[in-house]
Amino acid sequence: MAPRPSRRRLLGALPAGLLFAHLPAPVRAALAAPEPALLTCWADSPTRPRRFFAGRSDAVAGAVELPERGHDIAWHPSGDGSAVVAARRPGRFLLRWDVAGGRRLAEFDVYDADEDIRLEGHLAFSRDGRLLFATESELIDGQGRVGVYDARTLERLASWPTAGIGPHAVFPLADGPLAVANGGILTLPETGRLKHNLDRMDPSLAVLDPADGRVLAQYRLPDPWMSVRHVAQAADGRIAVSLQNEAADAATPDYARPLFATVEDGALRYGAATPEALAACGPYAGDIAAVDGPAGTVFAVSCSVAGTLALWHADGRYVGHLPAPGVCALTVADGGLLATGDGGELWAVAAAEARTQARWPHAYAFDNHARPA
């Protein structure tokens, strides 16, 4: 009897084009297109992280090592090839470094501040690039602050109240003001990330004057258990936020809410969502991004705990959702949506169609935020 050829030998004998045609669509797309590079943070392992880094995803060997997890990250507006990363909350450091060379250019540690503060994980730059704004909280009572820093040296120059507790994201709006997501959750240094006030939360989106911190507007949801976390803005100026459901019974019909809202008529208004969509999205959103296109803007929301990427039209209509295990960071590059997960995956997504276009796996764990490299 003639020996049976092995599966490997049979596959090897097939034309490459035939093999390629039978691969799943996301795999074909990933093989056909180069992987996009990101500026982001990551850990050395998806399961047992011990070391933390920041840099370009296509040059991991040249990344800068961090003393603890990084969170928000951004290119410096000077265009000199440097970037700034903020520690994950409750955080201690801001770091500016030369991304290509790895040289540390400036650092800030909360122990060097004149006030007892901790960092809340996010940063933004002034329109002229001279100042950096970082969300902070006072250690004693948890009141929110926006720290004002020299963008080059990271010297802390001033701080302003955010008109709320537990600020997280700070976002520069197109017309100049700063939008601050006041999460409304009180945490204290002696208890880490333990939440002390879930029965009396007051989350809001505050809009501050970037010249003096004056509160220009403040928007709230009807439900105090919905924590405002992150902010995005469409090309037409519409502002949207992603949310975190802190209700004890978040999965029940009485308390389940969409993790997406827009600013409408002086308040935050939820996007539409069917019971199926609410169940698919779960209680927690990790990021939000505005994907502007010829047919309008689609907002993407990473539902990290549920492992779902959800999408809404700018007018609040629900587009759909797709599976994305551990998804968190969202960013837009060349008009397309990119998402990363804490299992090491990078996805390219057709936002208007709620469809994965390509997927690239990695051996490390992406952290919560990213920018195009």
Side-chain angles (χ1 to χ4, degrees), residues 9-342:
R9 289 177 59 191
L10 283 172
L11 290 173
L14 291 174
L18 184 60
L19 284 174
F20 184 82
H22 284 80
L23 292 172
V27 177
R28 293 201 309 271
L31 291 173
E35 179 181 341
L38 299 176
L39 176 72
T40 189
C41 300
W42 64 87
D44 59 345
S45 167
T47 55
R48 300 185 67 183
R50 293 182 177 88
R51 301 172 66 189
F52 307 100
F53 302 89
R56 292 178 61 110
S57 62
D58 61 346
V60 295
V64 64
E65 187 163 0
L66 305 175
E68 56 189 76
R69 279 180 64 180
H71 194 73
D72 198 10
I73 191 168
W75 290 104
H76 196 275
S78 65
D80 64 356
S82 69
V84 179
V85 60
R88 176 179 182 256
R89 68 176 187 90
R92 284 186 52 184
F93 71 86
L94 295 168
L95 170 66
R96 177 177 170 233
W97 85 106
D98 173 59
V99 175
R103 184 166 61 95
R104 295 169 183 262
L105 303 175
E107 297 183 54
F108 169 80
D109 191 294
V110 295
Y111 292 142
D112 298 328
D114 294 333
E115 301 172 272
D116 292 331
I117 60 166
R118 67 175 183 267
L119 297 173
E120 293 288 356
H122 276 264
L123 59 91
F125 292 99
S126 61
R127 299 183 80 175
D128 62 8
R130 296 173 56 192
L131 299 175
L132 178 146
F133 304 106
T135 47
E136 307 171 348
S137 287
E138 297 179 4
L139 293 186
I140 303 302
D141 58 8
Q143 291 297 314
R145 315 284 295 183
V146 167
V148 184
Y149 297 78
D150 183 294
R152 184 178 62 85
T153 66
L154 300 186
E155 177 187 2
R156 189 169 183 265
L157 306 174
S159 71
W160 307 320
T162 66
I165 285 175
H168 192 50
V170 55
F171 184 88
L173 298 176
D175 57 349
L178 296 172
V180 179
N182 284 315
I185 301 171
L186 176 63
T187 58
L188 297 171
E190 60 268 24
T191 52
R193 294 166 72 89
L194 181 67
K195 302 165 184 176
H196 290 274
N197 68 328
L198 296 185
D199 60 340
R200 55 186 187 280
M201 289 171 55
D202 183 22
S204 68
L205 180 69
V207 180
L208 308 185
D209 188 319
D212 57 13
R214 181 167 45 94
V215 178
L216 303 175
Q218 197 161 15
Y219 308 103
R220 288 177 169 85
L221 287 159
D223 303 308
W225 63 86
M226 296 299 293
S227 177
V228 181
R229 308 305 296 170
H230 297 95
V231 189
Q233 188 173 28
D236 65 1
R238 190 183 298 260
I239 302 166
V241 297
S242 63
L243 306 166
Q244 182 173 319
N245 191 330
E246 292 295 339
D249 301 317
T252 64
D254 286 345
Y255 291 97
R257 298 291 186 272
L259 302 182
F260 168 80
T262 57
V263 175
E264 301 284 348
D265 301 323
L268 291 171
R269 306 295 184 194
Y270 293 116
T274 63
E276 176 196 7
L278 291 175
C281 292
Y284 180 96
D287 202 2
I288 185 171
V291 187
D292 298 308
T297 298
V298 170
F299 286 101
V301 174
S302 57
C303 308
S304 306
V305 172
T308 298
L309 181 59
L311 302 123
W312 279 266
H313 291 289
D315 62 7
R317 289 176 296 125
Y318 193 62
V319 176
H321 57 268
L322 61 148
V327 65
C328 197
L330 302 174
T331 192
V332 177
D334 298 325
L337 177 65
L338 300 175
T340 67
D342 61 11

